[in-house]
Amino acid sequence: MASTAIPGEISLRVVVDKEQNRVLYAEAGKDFVDILLSFLTLPLGTIARLVSKDSTTKPCRFGCISSLYESVGNLDPMYLNSETCKQMLLQPRNSMECYNRNLKLNIDDTEPTKYNVCRGCRAVEDGSLVSTSKDMKCKCGQDFTRIFLDPCKSLLCSPLLSGSDKNTSGDAGDNTWEGYVKETASFIISDDLAVIPADFNTTLCLLKNLRFEGPPEESTMVLSSNEILDLLKCLLISKTALTDTLLRKEHSLVHSETSSKIFDERQGRKSTGTMEIKLLMSKSKSKIFFAQVEEDFMDQLLSFLTFPVGAVERVLEGNSGVVCVDKLYNSLFNFDSTVDMKSENLKHVFANLMIAPYFNVNNQMLPIDELKYPSELGICFNKDGSGRYYLTADASLYVHV
């Protein structure tokens, strides 16, 4: 379903039960579904920052993640390795940022990643002489002073793509990065954000399962960035995200609560290490007042801010207890890689979302990997003496500087 809204807005066809003032379901195409899927790629720290802002609704909190994020903001950099580390935690990178950059409405205000290289070093066999921060120093002692690469324009993210999807020309105008689903695909979205590829049988089954009085009413709603940010807030604290975003708004947001399921994730998993912490607690009330921890525990805790929410869902097997997030994540299993997705490899990528490059901590105890690139950096010289850097990831990639 193509969007008919003006630039900066998208349209959404919604079916509403007027008697109960609730959204039964919505019909959407690429623009809206791309935005929903992009929510799964956002690092937890980014979500905490975004939902703390005003939109059509008031700011909200992302549970303990918001508390952790605020703690980093108030933390003196002397307790971290550097000021850069603090900025990395407050502005965590998205390993899928290239796909999200051209969304019709992109609410992520994180500054796009740029790579810096040391002027003094001309070749390296690993990625150690490349930095996403110009404030870091090379191992030779010099500053990273040259911004030499925009990863989305050069398609540095090529490990995410299948061979047929790679753009070997490096053309920034290529549409490889424009979202996740195909232009021709259409979807049904339930009130709790379960997304189902649309067909006659899907719609029929949905109508049979819905209970409503009187004839439903159809309408087309126009969404701006404010409504998309509202939706992200409702995604975290409501079981009826579409209704609360489009109909009930402020009243429901203030009073909505999300129940959580608690279960032991350690069963059937191999331990990757242990850490010791000291606790001050009340045994009679089974309540912990505070914990005294060492560096290794803090590294693990702070790394939570860098995790994509979809990667956390994978670790929790799609059962985080945040209803709408669970429904959205588990919807991916209903997608057809060849019919619905823009790239056949994207469904696999979503099932294995990674931390952005250079954001992993040593001895990470959770099974969430870091996206690795570039694997090599070097420099070639032309006959006229001018140079060009090259990167290799899955395949060689040459970029003029």
Side-chain angles (χ1 to χ4, degrees), residues 100-161:
N100 295 343
R101 183 177 289 190
N102 293 319
L103 295 176
K104 188 70 176 289
L105 294 174
N106 184 10
I107 60 172
D108 186 1
D109 58 0
T110 307
E111 183 181 348
T113 302
K114 291 184 178 179
Y115 283 80
N116 303 275
V117 64
C118 175
R119 286 183 181 272
C121 297
R122 292 186 173 180
V124 61
E125 294 182 354
D126 56 32
S128 60
L129 301 190
V130 182
S131 172
T132 55
S133 173
K134 63 181 180 181
D135 298 323
M136 299 290 286
K137 287 187 178 294
C138 175
K139 64 183 181 181
C140 74
Q142 296 191 47
D143 293 328
F144 289 102
T145 56
R146 171 177 286 175
I147 296 177
F148 74 99
L149 188 64
D150 179 328
C152 299
K153 290 182 178 178
S154 67
L155 305 193
L156 185 57
C157 297
S158 56
L160 301 179
L161 301 175

Side-chain angles (χ1 to χ4, degrees), residues 42-43 46 49-50 53 90-94 97 106-113:
L42 294 175
T46 299
R49 184 180 75 252
L50 292 176
K53 299 178 178 182
L90 295 177
Q91 297 275 332
R93 302 293 183 188
N94 186 335
E97 69 172 293
N106 184 10
I107 60 172
D108 186 1
D109 58 0
T110 307
E111 183 181 348
T113 302

Side-chain angles (χ1 to χ4, degrees), residues 226-246:
N226 275 335
E227 283 77 28
I228 296 304
L229 185 50
D230 290 346
L231 183 60
L232 180 62
K233 294 174 182 178
C234 291
L235 180 84
L236 304 175
I237 61 179
S238 169
K239 298 178 183 178
T240 54
L242 287 182
T243 294
D244 289 336
T245 300
L246 302 175

